[in-house]
Amino acid sequence: MTRLSVNINKVATIRNARGENNPDLVHFALVCENAGADGITVHPRPDERHIRRSDVPKLKKAIATELNIEGYPTEDFIALVRDVHPTQVTLVPDAPDQLTSNHGWDVAANEAFLRDTIARFQADGIRVSVFVDPDPEQVLNARRVGADRVELYTKSYADNYCADREKAIAPFVEAAEAAREAGLGLNAGHDLSLENLAYFHERIPWTDEVSIGHAIICDALYTGIEKAIALYQECLEDN
């Protein structure tokens, strides 16, 4: 079964635009859970342009499903995660001012740093996923530094899906098979949508989790979040 984690960064962006607490981020997360989401994902960036660090413990206390915290592992990020103790932390190689994630780790080039960071989280019983491009070498390197899972960066799949979906999915199948053979859990995320998610799941049904934010919130503007979550869960049904 592939689990759907809803990234609520965009909801926090709307809230922050007025400087008040509308929409209420915790309430929205609970609505997502009640609608069938299997988890909630947040990415507290240093400038707090969407998720604020103060949001994270409130969400952890309120939700019943898995909390996944994404981010670059600065010391203050590490301290936040270890204090909140989510089910999963996803390590991304984002610069502080980066608009959105746009590449995976060069794991070998950051081996010592990642190995030490992963061990710190795992010592607290937190599952660690490493954000990588669809490259079997990066997947295997993530296994070597001790990651529990990898999250495949799926933008290239989404960008090329309409032109040639078989060609677009091919490197992801190869990377996913490498993860399975190495005993790594498998996550995926970035620009997955109602247009391309079902085929991704059809070809890589052993994916443990997809994290979707921008697309699902955009769809919710038209259909409501409950209907949007139901449509995404339909894409993840086993055939």
Side-chain angles (χ1 to χ4, degrees):
M1 172 185 169
T2 301
R3 299 167 65 87
L4 171 64
S5 185
V6 177
N7 185 316
I8 59 174
N9 289 353
K10 289 295 185 296
V11 180
T13 300
I14 297 170
R15 177 201 61 187
N16 293 354
R18 291 291 294 268
E20 299 172 346
N21 192 40
N22 189 25
D24 184 309
L25 202 65
V26 171
H27 177 67
F28 189 86
L30 295 176
V31 170
C32 290
E33 283 191 324
N34 290 335
D38 302 301
I40 300 296
T41 291
V42 294
H43 188 151
R45 294 180 181 276
D47 61 7
E48 297 194 323
R49 63 179 179 266
H50 40 67
I51 300 297
R52 299 171 184 151
R53 291 178 182 268
S54 60
D55 292 325
V56 183
K58 295 175 185 176
L59 287 164
K60 177 59 168 63
K61 183 178 179 180
I63 67 173
T65 58
E66 292 192 355
L67 178 63
N68 171 45
I69 305 177
E70 300 178 338
Y72 182 86
T74 58
E75 283 299 321
D76 58 340
F77 177 85
I78 292 171
L80 173 69
V81 173
R82 296 183 74 181
D83 182 59
V84 171
H85 206 280
T87 307
Q88 177 175 271
V89 59
T90 300
L91 307 182
V92 296
D94 288 0
D97 59 350
Q98 200 162 314
L99 181 62
T100 187
S101 301
N102 61 17
H103 64 284
W105 286 95
D106 181 341
V107 180
N110 295 276
E111 180 172 351
F113 174 62
L114 286 172
R115 187 187 299 276
D116 175 69
T117 302
I118 290 167
R120 292 169 73 181
F121 289 129
Q122 289 174 338
D124 289 338
I126 301 169
R127 185 173 72 227
V128 183
S129 179
V130 173
F131 195 65
V132 297
D133 295 315
D135 178 347
E137 182 178 357
Q138 296 295 350
V139 170
L140 296 178
N141 286 342
R143 179 70 182 89
R144 192 175 69 247
V145 297
D148 301 297
R149 293 185 182 183
V150 289
E151 178 173 333
L152 299 181
Y153 173 50
T154 49
K155 181 172 174 55
S156 64
Y157 166 70
D159 287 347
N160 297 294
Y161 175 83
C162 291
D164 187 340
R165 69 179 190 174
E166 183 58 35
K167 184 177 180 180
I169 196 67
F172 291 88
V173 173
E174 185 180 5
E177 288 177 342
R180 182 165 62 173
E181 291 171 5
L184 275 172
L186 181 68
N187 298 342
H190 206 94
D191 287 354
L192 294 174
S193 68
L194 289 176
E195 180 180 43
N196 58 48
L197 180 58
Y199 186 66
F200 187 93
H201 182 253
E202 175 187 332
R203 294 301 309 276
I204 312 174
W206 62 92
T207 305
D208 291 295
E209 175 185 291
V210 293
S211 176
I212 302 177
H214 186 80
I216 201 168
I217 300 303
C218 289
D219 289 327
L221 294 176
Y222 300 105
T223 68
I225 189 61
E226 294 90 347
K227 178 63 174 177
I229 287 173
L231 291 171
Y232 277 82
Q233 290 287 28
E234 286 179 14
C235 294
L236 299 174
E237 290 178 355
D238 294 326
N239 295 324

